[in-house]
Amino acid sequence: MQRFWMLALAFIFLPNYRAQDMFFSQFDRCLHVLNPSQAGNFDGFERVSFQQKNQWMGAGTTFSSSLGCAEFTLGKNAFNTASYLGSGIFFLRDVGGDARFGNSSIGASLSGHLVTSKNTRLSAGIQLGYTNRSGDLSKLLWYSQWNGNTFDANIPVNEPSQMAKFSYVDATIGTAFSFLSRNQRAENVGLKGLNAGVFMQHLNRPKLQYNEITSDRLYRKTGIHIQGEIAFSRFYSLELKTLQLFQGRHYAGRYGFYFKTLFKQSADITRIKNDSYLSLGFYLGSRGTFSPGFILDLGGLQMGFNYDKSGYRDWETDRKSTL
């Protein structure tokens, strides 16, 4: 039992400790989970999306993150000329390690999108979420189970078999500005679209109760995201994306660069936007990580893949600190 308390104290007082919320490399594919003002802020009326992230696949101890989202709009027209409401729901499961420690979260967003000119609109939104965190210490092996040759799981260790389970309610707010060129079909060169937003998560600073001797609270997390597309011609463009996150004394950055090419053009006379694109590029992390990938856009269906060498240590701290 003594080792358990030593581990708990090390968890609390470990210097230069890096801790942060999980996030996906392709952050621009699940923006409404970060910034609720982005719920419904896309080209279309409804959208369903899924993301799967697997880490340490060959290490025997894997980390897995799964995200499912659905977004809906009310009052939106096909020409994007009317103000409208947006909503979104998501489910997130993030778990890893031998103890299967992780969290399950569900949340809902409500947003409003105000058309301010022929090419621009302002958005604002709020999100409420519910998270449950848990782990199973019975899956761990302890030093006292070493029999001289191997670890024997049948040797009793007199350690607690369960980690404290706890839940909390979370709140997020956000706002955004969007620009969309109306001259999509012309041979225009220049800015084709722009989306920029700010948000704040953990407004109520939820309490974390991992055991009976610790009681900490999540830091509020502030984020800034900017995505833009620059057209070189009707068939080629460059997508630029950035996300900056600040939580306590920690910060992280993601930067995306994707070259986009049109390989199938829909008929102009139908006014239905069903062009097909292929995007090739990469994401960079603030710690120098590199994540190449591709995105295939078939109009009503998008698929993408990226290989991420970053993992969970893509956050930086401005100084050594004790949490």
Side-chain angles (χ1 to χ4, degrees), residues 55-63 98:
Q55 295 176 274
W56 295 14
M57 296 295 292
T61 300
T62 61
F63 293 82
D98 293 334

Side-chain angles (χ1 to χ4, degrees), residues 25 53 55 254 285 289-291 308-314:
S25 298
K53 178 179 180 179
Q55 295 176 274
R254 299 292 294 179
T289 54
F290 179 72
S291 305
D308 194 347
K309 291 282 288 183
S310 61
Y312 283 95
R313 293 181 59 83
D314 203 22

